[in-house]
Amino acid sequence: MTFDEIRAWLVEANPEKLERLWLSADSLRHDTVGDEVYLRGLVEISNICRRNCLYCGIRAGNPKPQRYRMSAEEMVETARLAKKLGYGTVVLQSGEDGSVSAEEIAEIIRQIKRKTNLAVTLSLGERAEEDYITWFKAGANRYLLRFETSNETLYRAIHPPHAQGRYRSGSRIELLKTLRNIGYEIGSGVMAGIPGQTWDDLARDIALFAELDLDMIGCGPFLPHPDTPLGGVRSQESGVEEQVILDKHLPFKVIALARLVCPAANIPTTTAIATLDPVHGRLLGLSRGANVVMPNLTPACYRKMYEIYPHKAASGETPEETHELAVRQILELGRTPGQGAGTSPRFLKNATQI
Ligand code: SAH
C-alpha cells in the first residue's frame, strides 16, 4: 500500500467505501491470524514516572495522582491469576519508573516465568540498553514501546527528554530496533488526533509500521487529560493546517490500515478505543482488523491511580469481571478466545529460519 493510498483512506468519508475498508481488513485478519482472539492480561505495575510527556496523566509534573508501585508479591500473584483465567501472556506496564532497578524487575520476571511460564511482555518506557538485555535474559519475551508519532518535531514537542538520566533518551524508533536485535518481539503504535498531528504525519506513521515490520501494533485515539498541558487543547483548534480530526471512524481506520500494511501482526482493540465508544468500540475494533484484547487485571485498589487519560473503559469491578466481559464480547462476535502465548507469526517464521 502506498503512502497516497493510506492517506486517502484516512480522510475517506463515504460510508460505502469505508465498509469496503472494514471488510478487507477483517478478511485479511481471518486469513492471516485466524478467528482466535488472544487475551493479554494487562497489569499496571506502577504509576511512578520521571518523564513529562505532555499528553499523559501520570507525567511527573502532575501532582494529583497518588503514586504507587505494586510489590513483587502482588505482581507475581496477579500473573498467577492471569494463568488461572487461561491467559498465555501477561503485560507489565508502568510509568518510566527510574527508582526501580533493572535487577528488581529481572527478579520479578524470573519468578513469573518460574511460577506461571506465561509469555512476559514489558511496557516500561525508555531504559538503558543493558536493562533491556538484563530483562530479556531473565525471560521477558516482548516489549511494547509506542513511537507515538513519526513527526520528529511533534515528538520532541510532546515528549521532553529525561533530564538527569545517565543515558540520552533516544528516538523510540531507534530503541525499537535495539529491542528487536536483543531478541524481543516488538510492538509499537501511535495516538491518533494529537494536537499538531497532520494527515500526512498519520499516513507516514502507518507506513512506518510496515517498514519496522512490527510484531504488535497498538493504536488508539488521543484522549485529553485535564491535568496535562494538552488537556485543554482541542485538536480542531491546534491552528495546524491539515490537523488530524478525531471522529468516530478514525481509530478504526488506523486499525484497519495497520492490518493491511502488516497482515500478520497482533493488533489489539485498545482500551482507548473502548473509552471513546464504550458500547461498540471494542467489538468494532475486533471486526475491523484487530485480533487481540488486553483486559485490565490490575488489582482494583490501584486501577484509579493509573489514569493516563480519564474514564478508562472496559473494566469490571474486579479482574475476574473484567475478564468475563472480554470473553463474552469475543463469543458474541462468533470468535474464540485464543489459547497459548499467541506469538506473532512473523516472529515464529523468523525464529525457525535461524
Ligand atoms: N511509560 C510507558 C507506558 C505508557 S502508557 C511508555 O511510555 O511506553 C501506554 C500508552 O498510553 C502510551 O504509549 C500512549 O500512547 C498512551 N497514552 C498516554 N496518554 C494518553 C492519552 N492522553 N490519550 C490516549 N492515549 C494515551
Side-chain angles (χ1 to χ4, degrees), residues 42-102:
L42 178 64
V43 194
E44 294 155 340
I45 61 172
S46 163
N47 69 352
I48 299 171
C49 191
R50 59 185 173 191
R51 303 301 289 267
N52 254 316
C53 306
L54 269 61
Y55 46 86
C56 183
I58 62 169
R59 64 201 301 272
N62 183 6
K64 288 203 185 158
Q66 191 189 333
R67 302 287 167 170
Y68 74 92
R69 185 189 310 134
M70 288 171 63
S71 68
E73 293 73 38
E74 285 172 318
M75 293 185 216
V76 175
E77 247 346 277
T78 310
R80 291 177 97 136
L81 170 69
K83 174 87 174 177
K84 195 174 109 206
L85 294 172
Y87 290 59
T89 327
V90 75
V91 181
L92 306 182
Q93 189 179 82
S94 72
E96 208 173 283
D97 184 352
S99 59
V100 65
S101 74

Side-chain angles (χ1 to χ4, degrees), residues 49 53 55-58 93-96 123-126 143-146 148 159 172 189-191 218 220-225 228 272 306 308-310:
C49 191
C53 306
Y55 46 86
C56 183
I58 62 169
Q93 189 179 82
S94 72
E96 208 173 283
S123 175
L124 309 177
E126 297 167 37
Y143 206 95
L144 302 178
L145 187 69
R146 291 189 181 176
E148 316 292 3
H159 211 271
R172 290 187 164 206
V190 296
M191 290 177 285
F222 162 70
L223 301 168
H225 188 300
T228 63
Y306 197 86
I308 48 182
Y309 48 78

Side-chain angles (χ1 to χ4, degrees), residues 8-9 12-24:
W9 276 121
E12 183 59 65
N14 179 327
E16 278 145 40
K17 285 202 183 148
L18 284 177
E19 206 51 48
R20 274 186 11 225
L21 177 64
W22 313 143
L23 284 177
S24 44

Side-chain angles (χ1 to χ4, degrees), residues 122-173:
L122 301 175
S123 175
L124 309 177
E126 297 167 37
R127 298 280 297 218
E129 182 174 355
E130 63 252 34
D131 295 359
Y132 293 143
I133 294 172
T134 303
W135 298 336
F136 187 75
K137 285 189 182 151
N141 307 87
R142 307 174 185 162
Y143 206 95
L144 302 178
L145 187 69
R146 291 189 181 176
F147 60 79
E148 316 292 3
T149 170
S150 59
N151 175 331
E152 217 178 308
T153 312
L154 177 60
Y155 176 79
R156 281 173 200 230
I158 63 172
H159 211 271
H162 171 43
Q164 301 96 30
R166 61 198 166 90
Y167 65 96
R168 260 191 37 234
S169 332
S171 139
R172 290 187 164 206
I173 296 163

Side-chain angles (χ1 to χ4, degrees), residues 347-354:
F347 188 84
L348 284 177
K349 193 172 102 220
N350 286 14
T352 51
Q353 278 167 3
I354 294 169

